[in-house]
Amino acid sequence: RHSLIERRPVDNQTVFECKYELDSLCGFLKLSRGYYDATKDSSFMNGNWSAAISQIFTVMEEQSQATFDENFNFISYYNWTGTAGSLSPPVNNHGNGEPKAYTGLVGTHHRPSDDLSTYAFLTPANAMLSVELSRLADVLDDAGMFPNVSSSARQWSSQIEAAIWNHTVRSFNFRLCSYHTDLSYIGCREYLRL
């Protein structure tokens, strides 16, 4: 793990905005699964598809990391400050969002609506990711392809599901699942947003 702030120039002719939303990655997984389930055609699982899946796993790994390493070095693999005319305001803390601890969840700055997430760990998006990773593993097993990706998908799915139960569900006289949470270094507090 190392500190990295990546600010690549954006080509407005090919990319509208470089906002990262977890549900967009889930959408690719869901579309892949839906096509395979409907057709049993695995021909789309080619080099380009495999590279996209690999990139999704890279994003999950990077966005699940804590804001600071064990020596309190700042870690950032992604930030979004927006540009003039952006529909969404910039993410606070110079595009890096609120500090977060490692939980097993995958962080995201934006909700499916493109609105900013106040806290990094959006529960519904993580739940969708856990489900779609499990289903991706089922598809790969059925197609007899990419056993290492299937194994990783099952591990990630289990990790995220456990983190949802451990960090976003609270019992009162009933069980309550928070919409999004921030497990930060500042007093290790947790906020419930309903």
Side-chain angles (χ1 to χ4, degrees):
R1 294 174 22 186
H2 60 282
S3 180
L4 171 70
I5 296 178
E6 191 167 316
R7 291 187 176 97
R8 295 181 182 161
V10 176
D11 179 354
N12 290 5
Q13 301 306 307
T14 59
V15 177
F16 177 65
E17 289 183 325
C18 290
K19 290 188 304 234
Y20 160 71
E21 299 168 22
L22 195 54
D23 66 294
S24 296
L25 303 182
C26 296
F28 179 77
L29 299 175
K30 187 173 183 171
L31 182 62
S32 296
R33 173 191 43 89
Y35 176 80
Y36 180 80
D37 284 348
T39 65
K40 298 299 182 195
D41 173 19
S42 63
S43 64
F44 70 93
M45 296 182 205
N46 57 27
N48 288 336
W49 182 86
S50 178
I53 294 294
S54 178
Q55 187 60 42
I56 289 172
F57 279 89
T58 298
V59 169
M60 291 178 346
E61 177 66 31
E62 291 173 354
Q63 296 308 307
S64 67
Q65 300 304 309
T67 301
F68 300 100
D69 68 13
E70 57 277 353
N71 296 315
F72 286 95
N73 295 307
F74 178 74
I75 306 293
S76 176
Y77 294 96
Y78 169 83
N79 64 57
W80 193 78
T81 56
T83 57
S86 293
L87 297 177
S88 181
V91 174
N92 62 354
N93 291 327
H94 306 288
N96 296 295
E98 294 295 325
K100 65 185 190 297
Y102 175 81
T103 62
L105 296 167
V106 179
T108 183
H109 294 311
H110 291 88
R111 299 178 187 146
S113 62
D114 286 344
D115 295 329
L116 287 176
S117 288
T118 305
Y119 307 116
F121 301 122
L122 188 60
T123 304
N126 272 275
M128 182 181 184
L129 182 58
S130 177
V131 167
E132 290 305 329
L133 287 169
S134 178
R135 291 177 176 171
L136 171 66
D138 292 342
V139 163
L140 293 174
D141 291 348
D142 188 68
M145 299 180 73
F146 304 106
N148 57 330
V149 175
S150 173
S151 176
S152 291
R154 287 196 195 285
Q155 289 171 343
W156 271 101
S157 176
S158 295
Q159 171 188 305
I160 293 166
E161 181 181 0
I164 289 169
W165 287 106
N166 292 331
H167 298 292
T168 73
V169 177
R170 294 292 174 260
S171 294
F172 300 98
N173 291 337
F174 53 91
R175 289 186 126 172
L176 176 70
C177 185
S178 62
Y179 184 72
H180 57 151
T181 63
D182 171 36
L183 301 174
S184 73
Y185 286 97
I186 304 166
C188 295
R189 66 187 187 267
E190 181 173 343
Y191 296 94
L192 296 178
R193 302 291 277 184
L194 307 175

